Amino acid sequence: MSQFWSQLVHTLTPYVPGEQPKGDKLIKLNTNESPYPPSPSVQAAISAQLAADKLRLYPDPNADLLKSALAKTHQLSEQQVFVGNGSDEVLAHTFLALLKQDQAILFPDITYSFYPVYCGLYEIDYETVPLDNDFSINPDDYQQPNGGIIFPNPNAPTGRLLTLEAIETILKYNPNSVVIVDEAYIDFGGVSASGLINQYPNLLVVQTFSKSRALAGLRVGYALGHTDLIEALERVKNSFNSYPLDQLAIVGAVAALEDNDYFESCCQKIIKTRQTLTEFLQQQGFEVLPSAANFVFVRHPDYDAARLAKQLREQAIIVRHFNKPPIDQFLRITIGTDAQNTRLCDVIASLTVCRT
Amino acid sequence: MSQFWSQLVHTLTPYVPGEQPKGDKLIKLNTNESPYPPSPSVQAAISAQLAADKLRLYPDPNADLLKSALAKTHQLSEQQVFVGNGSDEVLAHTFLALLKQDQAILFPDITYSFYPVYCGLYEIDYETVPLDNDFSINPDDYQQPNGGIIFPNPNAPTGRLLTLEAIETILKYNPNSVVIVDEAYIDFGGVSASGLINQYPNLLVVQTFSKSRALAGLRVGYALGHTDLIEALERVKNSFNSYPLDQLAIVGAVAALEDNDYFESCCQKIIKTRQTLTEFLQQQGFEVLPSAANFVFVRHPDYDAARLAKQLREQAIIVRHFNKPPIDQFLRITIGTDAQNTRLCDVIASLTVCRT
């Protein structure tokens, strides 16, 4: 604390990201990274850009190459695409550009824990909407006055998916509010709402290269929506930082996007491993929420979640535990490779044996 | 414009960066990049990081490797170092964390044109302080009530340098305000105020890898100051985006920092070429402000600046013209290689001949 801080700084409760351990020995199932490397074409593209020896020059402030590739992938125009330094930066700009309104915005009470942090940063009023008892989002709960709505689909950290029909219901309830669908995990079993963009001028879809594209280390996220919504984001971005994406991130992301076969194959592998893990955990007596993401959210009637996380850690496996009711008895476990999954299952089986 | 924009978005006047032309044919002297590539060790470090095949993982959110290297270089502790996605992002966080105060902040009336844009973004009151007639900053003008002070040293786009003594004068006048010294160009002839940090808890020094380190394409900037000031920046950063620096930017910046001989040699070459260009332009009748930066700010009594910029562009040379009184008769010309400089001088000489 200091006399030199702005008033705002005193009020902030910053986000705490999952641990990034410095070492290679751990099975890292705590921050929902892909267990598979990015497409080999990413390395090739970045190496080519390095060889062109242009790092002394600023990147294209508009990242046209990437916007063009994203527009093509999602069958939209480039003016319907916004890019940023990871979807966290895209979301931050979204809160200031579109969700800072007179009325309180709405998001689920169990959801991505960065949302209330953004509200703190930009002094945005919000109300949380309880999930149903089965931890699903109920579209009917979003038929109430609001300054905007945001939720992940699939939701985090539950992994539960809303159908496109349910999302359309929310959009139809709220023609005068922006509805932000945060699709960080959509490629692991859902259908993107991006296909609805040309019908709903109030819909913004946010996606990331950090999960299904296996590029968390490169920091690239994006938003898709009506040109008016994108223009708002551009105005904020260009009042904050002209060049959020470096040269290597731009070409790397484009290469990842263009290797669709590799992308599909990784997603399918992860979905299959998720199924194997789910069945195993259920056999072990865990409750496993239905997941359409690259993680499962699980609890065990007899097992304290914090203790289980600690025991896994002792066996060199890191998972995520949110020490906050009502989810403090859950663990969020990222889907790893089959080998990592086998090790995880073996360790859990041995712990369960110890318990009895 | 749209019903979905926040009130703020309607009020913004975004920054307009210098042109980044998509082609290699031009002599690009418009955005103060280094004419020399970064240290060869940068490519090597990035290639090694790529080969380690870790892009699927998030980067270290704290960028400890880079903070540690910066702390060592500047003989400070790691807790006195903040890093961000280019100095523009660092400055943005600085405005919100330290310069959003009840009283208006102060900066020169001719200065980096992003400052008023940040004020617009964060709704910060500011007053501009006129430069002296010779376009220099007068420390005595900063002895007045204020909520904070920011200026570049050397100033942009003038290139004029303040001595450390003058900066201490400003610091002593303002023990209850934060004084931000934006040293994007300090390595081309000035002495950094970073040596004053342990004496002045109200001093924040901002630097960048985009100019003297030749890494504009990688987006790395940083701030140095008292741990309390750095903590304020960390709180804002961690309420905005956990991982602003990607894996490749972190290792590339560290490599650039560690190759001090290369860095010094590039700075010396640029200073020498600046001297050559200055003498030539003076011979041609230009007024050249004394520059301690990697650019010169010049005007000619008989030559319209916009027309001269256009004529240079027709000869494949881009310089920066700010179409805004009272500097609308100036051009800002980045120092290029000796070969680029010779070409620039030849073109200017030929234009001058045409004029008579």
Side-chain angles (χ1 to χ4, degrees):
Chain A
M1 195 173 304
S2 154
Q3 63 162 315
F4 300 119
W5 290 10
S6 68
Q7 278 300 318
L8 177 75
V9 170
H10 292 273
T11 70
L12 296 176
T13 307
Y15 179 76
V16 179
E19 181 188 356
Q20 296 298 327
K22 287 171 178 119
D24 292 324
K25 300 284 159 64
L26 297 162
I27 295 182
K28 191 171 178 304
L29 306 177
N30 69 327
T31 53
N32 298 340
E33 291 133 332
S34 173
Y36 303 108
S39 160
S41 63
V42 171
Q43 272 206 32
I46 293 176
S47 294
Q49 183 68 26
L50 265 182
D53 204 13
K54 288 185 181 173
L55 283 182
R56 69 179 187 86
L57 299 174
Y58 282 97
D60 172 9
N62 206 41
D64 284 336
L65 205 66
L66 178 56
K67 283 188 182 175
S68 166
L70 286 165
K72 196 174 157 200
T73 299
H74 293 278
Q75 297 177 288
L76 296 165
S77 75
E78 289 171 35
Q79 290 70 40
Q80 291 173 300
V81 181
F82 176 79
V83 297
N85 183 262
S87 64
D88 281 347
E89 183 183 79
V90 174
L91 288 168
H93 290 331
T94 299
F95 273 76
L96 187 55
L98 301 170
L99 296 178
K100 188 175 167 71
Q101 303 288 352
D102 292 336
Q103 278 194 299
I105 66 165
L106 305 177
F107 49 80
D109 64 341
I110 298 171
T111 194
Y112 185 29
S113 53
F114 219 134
Y115 297 163
V117 177
Y118 295 131
C119 289
L121 185 67
Y122 297 128
E123 302 177 280
I124 295 168
D125 287 335
Y126 67 92
E127 284 171 26
T128 58
V129 179
L131 296 181
D132 276 356
N133 286 337
D134 63 357
F135 294 94
S136 64
I137 291 172
N138 184 340
D140 290 339
D141 293 336
Y142 292 83
Q143 191 176 20
Q144 55 171 302
N146 64 74
I149 292 168
I150 183 165
F151 55 86
N153 192 40
N155 195 12
T158 66
R160 292 210 67 143
L161 182 75
L162 276 185
T163 63
L164 269 194
E165 196 179 13
I167 287 173
E168 276 205 85
T169 301
I170 295 175
L171 285 162
K172 283 176 181 161
Y173 283 153
N174 294 280
N176 297 315
S177 296
V178 178
V179 176
I180 321 269
V181 187
D182 179 359
E183 296 188 336
Y185 303 104
I186 195 68
D187 298 320
F188 302 108
V191 179
S192 173
S194 63
L196 300 174
I197 282 170
N198 287 327
Q199 291 169 68
Y200 295 94
N202 58 329
L203 169 63
L204 191 81
V205 173
V206 177
Q207 294 200 353
T208 178
F209 282 79
S210 298
K211 312 296 184 185
S212 57
R213 300 283 174 179
L215 284 177
L218 214 51
R219 317 306 307 123
V220 185
Y222 57 103
L224 308 168
H226 190 282
T227 53
D228 282 348
L229 304 188
I230 300 302
E231 189 188 339
L233 295 174
E234 294 287 355
R235 289 173 69 90
V236 167
K237 173 256 181 186
N238 287 318
S239 300
F240 177 84
N241 182 5
S242 305
Y243 316 90
L245 287 193
D246 69 50
Q247 285 179 14
L248 307 180
I250 292 171
V251 299
V254 169
L257 206 58
E258 288 176 346
D259 194 350
N260 199 58
D261 289 348
Y262 181 87
F263 160 74
E264 294 282 2
S265 126
C266 290
C267 291
Q268 286 311 314
K269 278 195 281 190
I270 289 165
I271 290 168
K272 195 165 160 236
T273 309
R274 180 179 70 208
Q275 186 58 29
T276 306
L277 178 62
T278 300
E279 285 164 13
F280 168 80
L281 290 171
Q282 285 170 337
Q283 285 159 12
Q284 296 289 318
F286 284 85
E287 177 188 359
V288 183
L289 298 193
S291 172
N294 68 338
F295 57 83
V296 289
F297 200 54
V298 305
R299 63 179 165 188
H300 196 286
D302 307 326
Y303 241 64
D304 179 68
R307 180 158 174 255
L308 181 52
K310 188 165 170 286
Q311 288 175 314
L312 288 170
R313 175 82 195 220
E314 285 161 5
Q315 300 296 318
I317 297 173
I318 334 183
V319 302
R320 190 95 192 251
H321 174 239
F322 300 89
N323 192 18
K324 196 183 154 189
I327 56 169
D328 55 343
Q329 283 309 315
F330 278 91
L331 293 182
R332 194 193 66 188
I333 306 175
T334 304
I335 306 302
T337 60
D338 281 337
Q340 291 174 325
N341 198 52
T342 300
R343 171 72 188 150
L344 171 71
C345 294
D346 287 349
V347 169
I348 288 177
S350 71
L351 293 174
T352 310
V353 169
C354 291
R355 177 174 57 87
T356 55
Chain B
M1 194 169 313
S2 153
Q3 63 161 316
F4 300 118
W5 291 9
S6 68
Q7 279 299 319
L8 177 76
V9 170
H10 292 274
T11 70
L12 296 177
T13 307
Y15 179 75
V16 179
E19 182 188 357
Q20 296 297 328
K22 290 175 176 111
D24 292 323
K25 299 284 159 64
L26 297 163
I27 295 182
K28 190 169 177 306
L29 305 177
N30 69 327
T31 52
N32 299 341
E33 291 131 332
S34 173
Y36 303 107
S39 160
S41 63
V42 170
Q43 272 206 32
I46 294 176
S47 294
Q49 183 67 26
L50 265 182
D53 204 12
K54 289 185 179 173
L55 283 182
R56 69 179 187 84
L57 298 174
Y58 283 97
D60 172 9
N62 206 40
D64 283 335
L65 205 66
L66 179 56
K67 283 187 183 175
S68 167
L70 285 166
K72 195 173 156 201
T73 299
H74 292 277
Q75 298 178 285
L76 295 165
S77 75
E78 288 170 36
Q79 290 70 40
Q80 290 173 301
V81 181
F82 177 80
V83 297
N85 184 263
S87 63
D88 281 348
E89 184 183 77
V90 174
L91 288 169
H93 289 332
T94 299
F95 273 76
L96 188 55
L98 301 171
L99 296 178
K100 188 175 168 73
Q101 303 290 350
D102 293 336
Q103 276 195 299
I105 66 164
L106 304 177
F107 50 78
D109 63 341
I110 298 171
T111 196
Y112 185 30
S113 52
F114 219 133
Y115 296 162
V117 176
Y118 294 131
C119 289
L121 185 66
Y122 297 126
E123 301 177 279
I124 295 169
D125 287 334
Y126 68 92
E127 285 172 25
T128 58
V129 179
L131 297 181
D132 276 356
N133 286 337
D134 64 356
F135 294 95
S136 63
I137 291 174
N138 184 340
D140 291 338
D141 293 338
Y142 292 83
Q143 191 176 19
Q144 55 171 301
N146 64 74
I149 292 169
I150 184 166
F151 55 86
N153 192 41
N155 195 11
T158 67
R160 294 210 66 146
L161 183 74
L162 275 185
T163 62
L164 269 195
E165 196 180 12
I167 287 173
E168 277 206 83
T169 301
I170 295 174
L171 286 162
K172 284 176 182 163
Y173 283 153
N174 295 280
N176 297 314
S177 296
V178 177
V179 176
I180 321 271
V181 186
D182 179 359
E183 296 188 337
Y185 303 104
I186 196 68
D187 298 320
F188 302 108
V191 179
S192 172
S194 63
L196 300 174
I197 282 170
N198 287 328
Q199 291 170 66
Y200 295 94
N202 59 327
L203 169 62
L204 191 82
V205 172
V206 178
Q207 295 201 354
T208 177
F209 282 80
S210 298
K211 313 295 183 183
S212 56
R213 301 284 174 178
L215 284 177
L218 214 51
R219 317 306 308 122
V220 186
Y222 58 103
L224 309 169
H226 190 283
T227 53
D228 281 348
L229 304 188
I230 299 303
E231 189 188 340
L233 295 174
E234 294 289 354
R235 289 173 69 89
V236 168
K237 172 257 182 186
N238 288 317
S239 300
F240 177 83
N241 182 5
S242 305
Y243 316 89
L245 288 193
D246 68 51
Q247 285 178 13
L248 307 180
I250 292 172
V251 299
V254 169
L257 206 58
E258 288 176 344
D259 193 350
N260 198 59
D261 289 348
Y262 181 86
F263 160 72
E264 293 283 1
S265 125
C266 290
C267 290
Q268 287 309 314
K269 279 196 279 188
I270 289 165
I271 290 168
K272 196 167 160 232
T273 309
R274 181 179 69 208
Q275 186 58 29
T276 306
L277 177 62
T278 299
E279 284 163 15
F280 168 80
L281 290 171
Q282 285 170 336
Q283 285 159 12
Q284 295 288 318
F286 282 86
E287 177 188 0
V288 184
L289 298 193
S291 172
N294 69 338
F295 57 82
V296 288
F297 200 53
V298 305
R299 63 179 164 187
H300 196 286
D302 307 328
Y303 241 65
D304 179 69
R307 180 158 174 255
L308 181 51
K310 187 164 172 284
Q311 287 175 314
L312 288 170
R313 175 82 196 220
E314 285 161 6
Q315 300 297 318
I317 298 173
I318 334 182
V319 300
R320 190 92 191 256
H321 174 239
F322 299 90
N323 192 18
K324 196 182 155 190
I327 55 168
D328 55 342
Q329 282 309 314
F330 279 90
L331 293 182
R332 194 193 66 188
I333 306 176
T334 304
I335 307 302
T337 61
D338 281 337
Q340 290 174 326
N341 198 53
T342 300
R343 172 69 187 151
L344 171 70
C345 293
D346 288 350
V347 169
I348 288 178
S350 71
L351 293 174
T352 310
V353 168
C354 291
R355 176 176 55 89
T356 55

